[in-house]
Structures are given as C-alpha cells and as structure tokens.
Amino acid sequence: FPTRRSSDLLCFPIWYYTAPTIISGFLEQYDFSDKKIVLFATSGGSDLKKCPDTAKKSAPSADIVAGCMLNGSVTRADIEKFL
C-alpha cells in the first residue's frame, strides 16, 4: 500500500466512538512514516474526536488528523477544506 503521496485519506464507519479493529490492523501493516493521514468517517451519532488518538497507537510515526463526518449534511466545500 505504500504511496508516493505525502497525505492519505482513510474513511471508515465509527463504532462506539472509534474506528473498527480492522483499521488498526491496516495501519499496523504498512509504513506510514512521514505521512499525513486524514480520517473521514460515517456514524449514526458518534464523532471523530477519539479516532486520531486511537489510530496514532497503530501508526505512531504518522501525522493523523480528523477530517470530517460524512453523514449526509456534508458539502463539497466541507470536504475540500480537509484535502
């Protein structure tokens, strides 16, 4: 999965305020050194607040930041400000 980009987008459904376990496994499997990972997620009620800290445990050398929730009310402008 290594890419030449300096940033990668990672989207997933939030389960009880955190990413599913498979996301941690994905982050542990690849080298994200010196990469920025922007998290995007869907959820019925949770938010992204805890997700960057949880993901950082699986990819400690990456710069992991919260992007935005994709729950139907997000506009193109909302997404573009995180890209």
Side-chain angles (χ1 to χ4, degrees):
F1 185 79
T3 66
R4 294 182 182 150
R5 297 181 303 273
S6 61
S7 297
D8 290 304
L9 307 177
L10 184 58
C11 187
F12 50 85
I14 292 182
W15 295 352
Y16 299 102
Y17 298 95
T18 193
T21 306
I22 196 167
I23 298 300
S24 296
F26 171 78
L27 291 171
E28 291 166 2
Q29 185 173 359
Y30 297 100
D31 180 12
F32 290 98
S33 299
D34 302 320
K35 296 273 187 171
K36 180 177 184 177
I37 300 174
V38 182
L39 305 178
F40 288 84
T42 61
S43 175
S46 300
D47 57 38
L48 280 168
K49 290 179 185 173
K50 294 182 182 179
C51 291
D53 290 337
T54 302
K56 189 74 171 167
K57 293 175 186 173
S58 298
S61 61
D63 177 21
I64 300 176
V65 298
C68 66
M69 297 298 296
L70 305 174
N71 288 339
S73 62
V74 178
T75 66
R76 181 181 180 115
D78 293 332
I79 295 171
E80 286 177 348
K81 80 178 184 181
F82 293 104
L83 298 179

